[in-house]
Amino acid sequence: MLDDDSLAKMETAVRACDEAREALIDALDADDATSTPSVLDPVGTALEDWRDAQQRFMALVDASNASDPATAALLLKTNHGIDASNARCGLPGTDVDGADQPFPLDLTGAQGMILTQAATEHLR
């Protein structure tokens, strides 16, 4: 159902979502619990990168023979071992059409406050 070119492009977008999530976790782990640009900028950049990769994934799903993101993710997982979970989850502060999974990180406490503020300031 997915041709080799579509599969390769989707895999690249999925990998970019995974890398952006890792960068976000690293930025949140390195925070000093303040809302300074040195803390907010890396968090915001990771969120932007994640959103952009999700948008690429969703555009590729639309251009493929898959009926929806859930079907494309299922095909990727069962036929190729590619987990597209991060490509399908909603991000705070942005709306990516087709992102139908819950955000996988805790939004409570100081890190949640930083994450929410960074999303508000960086994702428009």
Side-chain angles (χ1 to χ4, degrees):
M1 184 171 211
L2 296 176
D3 62 57
D4 290 341
D5 187 48
S6 293
L7 174 64
K9 289 177 181 175
M10 281 186 192
E11 184 176 6
T12 299
V14 166
R15 210 171 316 122
C17 288
D18 294 344
E19 290 168 3
R21 178 187 173 156
E22 289 175 26
L24 176 60
I25 291 170
D26 289 346
L28 288 170
D29 286 346
D31 82 50
D32 61 2
T34 64
S35 298
T36 63
S38 65
V39 174
L40 293 175
D41 288 346
V43 171
T45 298
L47 286 170
E48 289 171 343
D49 291 346
W50 196 345
R51 178 207 52 210
D52 294 347
Q54 279 185 329
Q55 289 172 337
R56 285 193 307 275
F57 176 76
M58 297 305 173
L60 291 165
V61 169
D62 285 343
S64 76
N65 291 327
S67 58
D68 57 29
T71 302
L74 181 63
L75 289 169
L76 289 170
K77 183 68 173 177
T78 57
N79 296 340
H80 306 285
I82 300 167
D83 182 3
S85 298
N86 288 323
R88 294 182 55 212
C89 68
L91 298 176
T94 189
D95 182 34
V96 175
D97 194 30
D100 58 356
Q101 299 297 303
F103 184 65
L105 300 177
D106 185 7
L107 292 174
T108 62
Q111 285 187 341
M113 182 181 68
I114 290 169
L115 181 63
T116 303
Q117 186 174 350
T120 302
E121 293 179 12
H122 286 265
L123 300 176
R124 299 170 203 256

